[in-house]
């Protein structure tokens, strides 16, 4: 009988660990998706700032953020460089992701 109780206890601990790893994995995946959304929003804003596409840079960033199930928290465009912060959530935990896009810096001789 003691062996059966131990087996049930071990199974419960393993099930709990698997559930916890699932939650952590889901949160990590949500954070990576949010980072990708921030990258895409920054690229869209930088493209609009450079004239490569039509539109207002921050409006384009907000459109991309919304398409990625996120919200635009900050949009800063200086010249051709766009810095974007987007916000998202997973399981009641909020995440922010920040990205910067623009032309490459000039090489220093």
């Amino acid at each position: 009988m003691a062996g059966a109780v131990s087996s049930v206890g071990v199974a419960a601990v393993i099930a709990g660990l698997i559930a916890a790893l699932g939650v952590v994995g889901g949160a990590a995946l949500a954070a990576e998706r949010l980072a990708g959304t921030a990258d895409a929003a920054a690229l869209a804003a930088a493209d609009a700032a450079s004239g490569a596409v039509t539109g207002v840079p921050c409006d384009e960033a907000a459109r991309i953020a919304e398409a990625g199930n996120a919200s635009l928290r900050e949009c800063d465009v200086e010249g051709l460089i766009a810095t974007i912060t987007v916000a998202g959530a997973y399981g009641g935990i909020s995440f922010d992701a920040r990205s910067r896009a623009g032309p490459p810096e000039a090489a220093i001789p």
Side-chain angles (χ1 to χ4, degrees):
M1 188 69 173
V5 173
S6 295
S7 296
V8 170
V10 168
V13 168
I14 290 172
L17 287 173
I18 290 171
L21 288 174
V23 170
V24 170
L29 182 61
E32 287 297 320
R33 285 183 181 163
L34 189 63
T37 299
D39 290 344
L43 287 169
D47 282 348
S50 72
V53 298
T54 59
V56 177
C58 291
D59 291 348
E60 292 300 309
R63 184 179 62 80
I64 297 297
E66 185 177 319
N69 294 323
S71 61
L72 182 64
R73 183 166 290 204
E74 290 182 33
C75 177
D76 182 35
V77 179
E78 293 182 21
L80 300 177
I81 298 174
T83 305
I84 302 298
T85 302
V86 295
Y90 176 80
I93 301 169
S94 62
F95 295 95
D96 284 350
R98 185 179 190 133
S99 186
R100 181 177 174 203
E105 295 181 17
I108 299 173

